[in-house]
């Protein structure tokens, strides 16, 4: 039995807290007489459990083969970038969609991407090496176009919200 802490409304952290109980398929299979498991290698699929995984799969770090399999780009030298998107900001796909309305940035030369706070990215950005982005402000901030590497604090940058008079 697996116990997951969740909220009734995954879009609202203030909604009623609940426990979700799950049974792993490996444990559940014993309930079916004659059932067997099939091992599917990671080369046949790219699992997506969180927005970290989805952004990575949508990026140039993955390519689609002629037989429609998503595989890590050869330019990544067999190692996928490690993704660490802010769990509060990017818990649901809608928030990732908002953050990437300008397209998914390049991750092909990225080793690790860590994001804390609300940001907006575009396909014109290329993350290189180890990148740490912080926005401690309340409104989303834009990641600049071009190569981004190292630490980037966007807290005092111009925000993505409405113009304040």
């Amino acid at each position: 039995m697996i116990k997951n802490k969740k909220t009734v409304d995954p879009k609202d952290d203030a909604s009623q807290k609940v426990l979700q109980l799950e049974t792993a398929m490996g444990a559940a299979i014993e309930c079916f007489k004659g059932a067997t498991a099939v091992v599917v290698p990671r080369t046949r699929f790219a699992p997506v459990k969180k927005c970290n995984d989805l952004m990575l799969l949508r990026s140039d770090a993955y390519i689609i083969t002629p037989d429609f399999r998503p595989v890590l780009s050869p330019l990544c030298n067999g190692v996928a970038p490690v993704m660490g998107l802010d769990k509060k900001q990017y818990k649901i796909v809608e928030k990732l969609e908002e953050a990437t309305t300008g397209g998914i940035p390049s991750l092909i030369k990225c080793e690790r991407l860590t994001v804390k706070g609300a940001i907006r990215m575009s396909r014109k950005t290329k993350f290189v090496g180890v990148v740490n982005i912080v926005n401690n402000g309340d409104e989303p901030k834009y990641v600049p176009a071009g190569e981004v590497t190292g630490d980037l604090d966007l807290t005092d940058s111009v925000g993505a919200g409405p113009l304040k008079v």
Side-chain angles (χ1 to χ4, degrees):
M1 205 51 120
I2 301 168
K3 180 173 67 171
N4 291 319
K5 294 179 181 178
K6 302 210 174 215
T7 57
V8 170
D9 180 357
K11 298 176 184 176
D12 181 7
D13 285 337
S15 70
Q16 176 68 40
K17 301 211 180 322
V18 294
L19 289 176
Q20 176 190 37
L21 300 177
E22 294 181 28
T23 300
M25 280 308 297
I29 201 167
E30 70 185 28
C31 299
F32 301 97
K33 188 176 181 176
T36 59
V38 176
V39 177
V40 179
R42 287 275 174 135
T43 56
R44 297 255 331 259
F45 72 104
V48 174
K49 281 195 65 103
K50 298 185 179 194
C51 286
N52 289 329
D53 305 320
L54 183 58
M55 182 173 161
L56 183 58
L57 186 62
R58 288 179 172 178
S59 79
D60 59 357
Y62 274 84
I63 59 171
I64 304 299
T65 64
D67 60 345
F68 305 105
R69 290 179 299 116
V71 296
L72 196 58
S73 169
L75 298 174
C76 288
N77 297 317
V79 181
V82 176
M83 303 291 290
L85 299 179
D86 189 311
K87 291 176 185 172
K88 288 195 181 252
Q89 290 293 327
Y90 307 104
K91 182 177 177 180
I92 58 175
V93 174
E94 288 173 337
K95 296 297 183 179
L96 178 64
E97 296 288 336
E98 287 174 17
T100 58
T101 54
I104 302 291
S106 174
L107 293 170
I108 207 155
K109 293 183 180 177
C110 185
E111 293 172 38
R112 175 182 298 272
L113 174 64
T114 305
V115 175
K116 182 182 180 303
I119 64 168
R120 297 291 181 261
M121 303 172 264
S122 81
R123 70 179 54 83
K124 295 178 182 178
T125 301
K126 295 178 184 195
F127 294 123
V128 178
V130 177
V131 180
N132 298 299
I133 301 173
V134 175
N135 173 20
N136 291 316
D138 291 333
E139 69 177 325
K141 306 292 174 78
Y142 289 100
V143 176
E147 268 193 18
V148 175
T149 190
D151 297 332
L152 178 63
D153 189 339
L154 298 173
T155 304
D156 296 326
S157 299
V158 175
L163 185 61
K164 295 178 178 115
V165 182

